[in-house]
Amino acid sequence: MELINYSGLPVEQFTALDRDGRERLVIVAKATYGWTLDGVSRPAEAHRPIAVSDRFVGDQGVTAPVYEADLAPHKRRCDVLLNATAHAPEGRPVAEVPVAVRVGEWAKEFMVVGDRTWRRGAQTVASAPRPFRAIPLHYGRAFGGSPSGTRDAV
């Protein structure tokens, strides 16, 4: 079978078994969008290629995923990936800064905190956050994230 792609989007095709063991054709198309500072979304000049495997911040299996594979036999909704850096207001070092992301009606707010170290003893205690001007955002930096490789740039 030949798939003719008129969309201009990156496309992959593969077969997968459904719940009843029947083989199904799966077609994956990927569109990439960006947002302006005033919140307007626009298609990117170039769409990102389809990811055939997961990509990690550092070593696979030890650090957080940055992008997960796009080749899923079924997705009920689209993925929204945040690949960003939190910047301190006016470029002055801060220990923490609130940030938010919104896509349509979906919104998420969280606090970005500078790097800390944890000291074990009778109690596990966190140091004060180190001030930062810019810090990458990814799951490995979240509380309880990856034990190593979390400070690598995305």
Side-chain angles (χ1 to χ4, degrees), residues 52-111:
V52 296
S53 63
D54 295 347
R55 181 174 159 222
F56 295 84
V57 174
D59 293 335
Q60 180 176 341
V62 180
T63 60
V66 179
Y67 300 109
E68 294 177 340
D70 294 316
L71 303 180
H74 181 76
K75 282 193 178 184
R76 302 186 94 207
R77 294 181 174 86
C78 72
D79 292 334
V80 176
L81 304 175
L82 176 66
N83 185 0
T85 301
H87 293 271
E90 300 177 18
R92 295 186 187 128
V94 294
E96 59 184 34
V97 64
V99 298
V101 61
R102 189 176 97 192
V103 178
E105 297 299 314
W106 178 86
K108 185 73 173 175
E109 298 177 14
F110 49 98
M111 186 66 69

Side-chain angles (χ1 to χ4, degrees), residues 27-39:
I27 299 172
V28 176
K30 184 174 185 174
T32 305
Y33 288 80
W35 278 266
T36 62
L37 292 176
D38 58 354

Side-chain angles (χ1 to χ4, degrees), residues 18 20 25 37 44-45 48 53 56 65 69 78 94 112-113 121-122 129 148-149:
D18 66 14
D20 299 323
L25 174 65
L37 292 176
E45 289 183 27
R48 294 189 60 87
S53 63
F56 295 84
C78 72
V94 294
V112 176
V113 178
S148 64

